[in-house]
Amino acid sequence: MGAFSGVAPGRFAITLNAVASEDPFELAPPMTFLARTVLQSCRTFNEAVETLETTRVASDSILMVTETELG
């Protein structure tokens, strides 16, 4: 369906793969908007993961979040 990635230099990176779903549509921000907000505002890998896990979005997606340090 589509892919999107972004890097928060020295902090983390997000890669998004959009997926098709039969779940009902929800009125919520698109995942790409959330990813941009997280890249701009989250200061740590853990903060980014927590934000992505707890924020409602309009569609299903597969996310990979990677940090810049081992562990």
Side-chain angles (χ1 to χ4, degrees), residues 3 8 10 20 25 27 41 43 46 49 52-53 58 61 65 71:
F25 177 76
L27 223 55
S41 63
R43 295 285 143 222
N46 289 334
V49 169
L52 292 166
E53 286 180 335
S61 60
V65 184

Side-chain angles (χ1 to χ4, degrees), residues 35-48:
R36 179 179 178 178
T37 298
V38 168
L39 288 164
Q40 290 178 326
S41 63
C42 292
R43 295 285 143 222
T44 66
F45 170 81
N46 289 334
E47 183 183 354

